[in-house]
Amino acid sequence: MSAQVLTYIFVGLTFGLYIAIAIWSRSGSTADFYVAGGHVHPLANGAATAADWMSAASYLSMAGIIAFEGADGARYLMGWTGGYVLLALCLAPYLRKFAKFTVPDFVGDRYYSQTARLVAVLCVVFISFTYIAGQMRGVGIVFSRFLEVDIDLGVGIGMGIVFFYAVLGGMKGITYTQVAQYCVLIFAYLVPAIYISLMLTNVPLPMLGFGSTLNDGSGMFLLDKLDGLTQELGMAAFTEGKKSTVDMFFITAALMAGTAGLPHVIVRFFTVPSVRDARVSAGYALIFIALLYTTAPAVAAFARLNIIDALNETEYQALPEWFSKWEDSGLLAWVDKNQDGKLQYRGGAALEPAKPIFSGERGASGERLVSNEVGASANELYIDRDIIVLAHPEIAQLPNWVVALVAAGGLAAALSTAAGLLLVISSAISHDLLKNTLARNLTETQELRWARVSAAVAILIAGLFGIYPPGFVAEVVAFAFGLAAASFFPVILLGIFSTRMNKEAAISGMLSGLILTTSYISYFKFMAPELNHAEHWWFGISPEGIGTLGMLLNFAVALVVMRVTPPPPESVVNMVRAIRIPKQAS
Amino acid sequence: MSQEDQRQAETESSAARQPDEPVGVSDEAGHEAYWRANVRTLLSLLLVWFFVSFGCGILWVDALNEYSFFGWKLGFWFSQQGAIYTFVVLIFVYVFKMNALDRRFNVDEDR
């Protein structure tokens, strides 16, 4: 069977499964809708958290980034897993004991302030929409590449599926579909990785395989071979980083604190029955995440090696079939700079500007011509990093069913994250904005109806973002983590670990962190992008890492303001004392 | 001796008086002792967290890359594999230690 037919079958089957789960787990109350009634088994919550957290970016893009950046890719690997240690030790158990529905709930109650609650609602909505735009786009890309439907139609189908289980099932529906989606996505990620690891090294586990010797008879370690090849071709050695230590440090810290402060992750820990379950559930979640995150760098190394092997010094006519397919979609391009009819893959950018602009004509060998300036380097290949995971099974010539599986996995990753984000947006509107602020006399039934309405509206807006992607999506993702790190993380942490922490300190801390982070990122990303180089950055910190500085400022301002303003009321102090212990002794 | 130290000394001596009896958190001293033990546990685990990721994976990565570990350079292995494995272990150590602490102070949720 062709890969396309198989993809239709796999995608159809998985979508059928998600719908069946949604019908089985409908929500009947607001507690069901917001936190799945608080009855989720910690193991199931671990799998759901992993699917919730691992987005189209983790699944589709991360291995590609590492394949081309090598050692520098570690900031994502450590940043996006290390945050779970902070979450498990410093936030999750106490927030579970607090036992409400949302993050703005905690901020509003702990700081006895409607202003703080509203600031939190705004941050939640902004962070979540930033994130969701990328997910819907990911759904569209998978559909258009593998099923040859229009990107817009693909986004539409994705919206329909999410609509079904998020609006009907709320958190309950989302949780159990996320468990299924985790199984689909991890299976789809590991199968090709294991295949390729066996092909290159005879070692079945990819996370061990990429530290083993090659089976081509040379007896060389895979990474030594890759380091040698990359240097020979004038590229940075795969295992050497190019980023400065300071920048790596700050970016990793921002990603860690941002992960711990992201509302759609935090809220998953409201769904388990007890404090003890919240702790262990974070452990399960990290095991599930680590399975993919320790495989990703292996996939990256394998892919880089396979690409050099398949393409370098090969005549265009003799290039593998996948090359022309991805060339047609505009994600690969070749310029025959030295007119020898062969592809030279070297260091440096092939084109200027970096992304190809196709002229619509074909060259002497049949390649798509570009109208870009050719860069100074001898490199003739442009390759989009996002295709690595999707194209790798074809590059390694794996069977069609593996190719189809990867597409279904990509959809599972994007849809599960989108659903989690939508729920956070909908509860911020119906629960925090309406029920707790504007319309306090809502009945349970009315609130549930509003939750469904706001989920539906949020899906429509998210779909529009997917169909008409704003040009700044990639830029604002740095915002999401920076903001979470500079706003929520310090305020929640101090709210638990200091009984003296008051509303004045929280608001001034959040504001100073937010203002610093927002203005630094906007300056370098929007106002003066031409200055976005290390020599103009403060202390060599890139906009990606500035959230860490925002977080430190937030802590500093809060700790000073706290000492010169009145302490919080007795009732709040008692609340903090209560969330610090799992159960009051009888 | 500062007031803080004095209080800690008192709570520790009160815990020492009755080693087999679960210590409650109903009084101020018990609550304080439980919280201190909790904070101590998580600070020591966060030290390890910092050491493997920011230390071995970032600050000393070049120095560690001089050593090889199977087919990896050691620093590279820490930053792309070792740190992640350590994170998983840390969370389970935390779970284990906290469950024990909860039982000692009679605040575990099974009772």
Side-chain angles (χ1 to χ4, degrees):
Chain A
M1 256 189 279
S2 77
Q4 195 177 348
V5 175
L6 282 165
T7 310
Y8 269 111
I9 295 175
F10 282 2
V11 171
L13 282 177
T14 51
F15 279 19
L17 175 68
Y18 306 153
I19 291 177
I21 293 173
I23 293 173
W24 164 74
S25 56
R26 287 181 310 276
S27 283
S29 66
T30 47
D32 274 354
F33 196 89
Y34 295 140
V35 294
H39 301 309
V40 181
H41 188 276
L43 196 61
N45 187 54
T49 308
D52 199 43
W53 169 240
M54 291 192 288
S55 59
S58 293
Y59 186 93
L60 297 174
S61 308
M62 195 173 64
I65 294 174
I66 304 168
F68 294 101
E69 289 190 2
D72 285 343
R75 64 189 189 280
Y76 297 114
L77 294 168
M78 290 192 289
W80 285 341
T81 51
Y84 277 86
V85 178
L86 291 177
L87 190 62
L89 272 56
C90 305
L91 308 181
Y94 314 109
L95 292 176
R96 175 59 193 84
K97 178 71 195 304
F98 172 67
K100 290 278 181 70
F101 294 146
T102 66
V103 173
D105 255 346
F106 179 78
V107 175
D109 288 6
R110 169 63 182 85
Y111 295 112
Y112 45 100
S113 153
Q114 290 301 92
T115 318
R117 193 188 301 271
L118 284 177
V119 173
V121 168
L122 275 179
C123 289
V124 165
V125 171
F126 182 85
I127 292 171
S128 304
F129 268 123
T130 308
Y131 230 90
I132 215 168
Q135 307 307 317
M136 284 326 227
R137 194 70 194 164
V139 172
I141 288 173
V142 174
F143 266 103
S144 72
R145 170 60 187 80
F146 284 94
L147 301 174
E148 288 170 24
V149 298
D150 197 45
I151 279 202
D152 298 354
L153 180 63
V155 173
I157 298 172
M159 280 164 62
I161 294 286
V162 175
F163 187 89
F164 201 82
Y165 65 76
V167 174
L168 203 65
M171 185 57 113
K172 204 169 151 198
I174 288 174
T175 301
Y176 296 106
T177 34
Q178 279 175 338
V179 174
Q181 281 159 338
Y182 175 75
C183 299
V184 172
L185 83 86
I186 199 67
F187 187 67
Y189 203 84
L190 291 181
V191 166
I194 290 170
Y195 246 109
I196 296 167
S197 184
L198 281 170
M199 287 168 69
L200 291 172
T201 65
N202 291 343
V203 177
L205 287 178
M207 38 295 243
L208 300 179
F210 87 121
S212 307
T213 50
L214 289 160
N215 60 5
D216 58 3
S218 66
M220 254 179 120
F221 280 117
L222 186 142
L223 286 173
D224 289 345
K225 167 96 182 271
L226 188 53
D227 272 351
L229 272 178
T230 41
Q231 281 175 305
E232 212 174 284
L233 298 177
M235 305 159 179
F238 188 78
T239 59
E240 297 290 331
K242 274 186 294 191
K243 286 195 180 295
S244 73
T245 303
V246 172
D247 203 22
M248 279 293 277
F249 191 99
F250 272 78
I251 296 176
T252 308
L255 295 178
M256 283 188 185
T259 301
L262 279 180
H264 71 288
V265 178
I266 292 178
V267 77
R268 285 239 49 98
F269 294 90
F270 288 95
T271 67
V272 292
S274 69
V275 173
R276 200 167 69 168
D277 290 333
R279 291 179 193 140
V280 74
S281 187
Y284 291 136
L286 191 56
I287 290 188
F288 292 136
I289 292 167
L291 263 179
L292 190 143
Y293 272 62
T294 52
T295 305
V299 170
F302 299 153
R304 186 76 178 272
L305 199 61
N306 277 330
I307 286 172
I308 297 176
D309 205 42
L311 302 184
N312 191 36
E313 301 297 342
T314 308
E315 284 177 29
Y316 183 81
Q317 306 294 349
L319 286 172
E321 194 194 333
W322 55 266
F323 189 91
S324 58
K325 265 202 281 185
W326 288 99
E327 189 188 17
D328 288 341
S329 62
L331 298 172
L332 283 179
W334 171 54
V335 223
D336 196 4
K337 291 184 185 171
N338 59 357
Q339 308 286 327
D340 67 348
K342 290 181 184 169
L343 187 151
Q344 272 86 32
Y345 181 30
R346 297 286 183 274
L351 306 171
E352 185 69 40
K355 282 194 188 298
I357 306 157
F358 294 96
S359 63
E361 289 161 35
R362 294 273 170 174
S365 303
E367 80 276 19
R368 293 180 77 187
L369 290 178
V370 294
S371 56
N372 303 51
E373 301 278 322
V374 298
S377 72
N379 184 20
E380 302 183 340
L381 174 70
Y382 164 80
I383 181 162
D384 190 294
R385 303 188 293 197
D386 281 356
I387 69 176
I388 291 299
V389 169
L390 292 177
H392 199 198
E394 294 171 272
I395 297 175
Q397 298 169 320
L398 299 186
N400 282 339
W401 68 270
V402 180
V403 178
L405 194 59
V406 169
L411 289 173
L415 289 176
S416 57
T417 306
L421 291 163
L422 284 167
L423 188 95
V424 164
I425 296 173
S426 107
S427 56
I429 303 292
S430 65
H431 185 69
D432 300 310
L433 195 64
L434 294 176
K435 173 75 183 173
N436 280 340
T437 313
L438 299 177
R440 285 167 173 277
N441 52 2
L442 278 187
T443 65
E444 158 115 12
T445 325
Q446 284 170 320
E447 191 187 338
L448 185 58
R449 195 178 308 138
W450 275 108
R452 291 201 157 110
V453 170
S454 34
V457 173
I459 291 172
L460 286 178
I461 299 175
L464 286 176
F465 275 136
I467 294 172
Y468 306 105
F472 52 85
V473 166
E475 273 73 31
V476 291
V477 171
F479 258 133
F481 282 93
L483 290 187
S487 61
F488 285 135
F489 181 69
V491 163
I492 301 177
L493 191 76
L494 288 174
I496 296 163
F497 286 84
S498 159
T499 46
R500 181 66 177 75
M501 182 69 179
N502 57 12
K503 118 177 138 183
E504 291 82 0
I507 294 173
S508 51
M510 272 215 277
L511 282 181
S512 43
L514 280 176
I515 290 170
L516 173 75
T517 309
T518 316
S519 37
Y520 194 85
I521 297 179
S522 330
Y523 180 76
F524 283 115
K525 291 287 184 179
F526 302 116
M527 279 141 70
E530 70 281 0
L531 295 182
N532 192 7
H533 301 294
E535 66 266 31
H536 301 288
W537 295 337
W538 288 356
F539 319 111
I541 304 168
S542 63
E544 238 189 314
I546 198 67
T548 306
L549 207 61
M551 173 181 80
L552 295 176
L553 180 71
N554 185 336
F555 275 124
V557 169
L559 290 174
V560 171
V561 172
M562 178 174 105
R563 281 181 171 72
V564 295
T565 43
E570 190 67 30
S571 61
V572 170
V573 176
N574 288 335
M575 177 192 120
V576 177
R577 289 171 54 89
I579 64 173
R580 287 177 172 188
I581 41 174
K583 197 188 78 173
Q584 202 67 51
S586 50
Chain B
M1 194 188 257
S2 77
Q3 213 175 358
E4 291 274 288
D5 292 342
Q6 209 160 10
R7 194 150 28 145
Q8 194 183 354
E10 274 167 27
T11 53
E12 273 169 4
S13 68
S14 84
R17 270 200 300 275
Q18 18 171 278
D20 298 316
E21 293 277 303
V23 195
V25 292
S26 46
D27 57 339
E28 180 66 27
H31 191 283
E32 193 75 6
Y34 173 83
W35 185 244
R36 272 173 193 286
N38 177 5
V39 171
R40 247 199 320 271
T41 306
L42 69 92
L43 282 182
S44 56
L45 294 175
L46 286 178
L47 202 67
V48 180
W49 165 81
F50 186 87
F51 180 83
V52 293
S53 53
F54 293 97
C56 301
I58 297 176
L59 295 176
W60 314 312
V61 71
D62 292 328
L64 291 176
N65 275 343
E66 299 297 318
Y67 303 93
S68 65
F69 177 69
F70 298 94
W72 291 278
K73 293 176 184 172
L74 187 57
F76 181 85
W77 180 81
F78 262 109
S79 69
Q80 303 219 340
Q81 299 277 300
I84 304 176
Y85 297 136
T86 315
F87 295 156
V88 173
V89 173
L90 284 177
I91 296 186
F92 282 96
V93 171
Y94 171 74
V95 169
F96 180 78
K97 289 195 147 201
M98 287 308 290
N99 286 346
L101 189 68
D102 287 353
R103 273 193 300 276
R104 203 175 101 210
F105 280 86
N106 200 12
V107 291
D108 55 318
E109 292 153 302
D110 283 344
R111 287 161 196 269

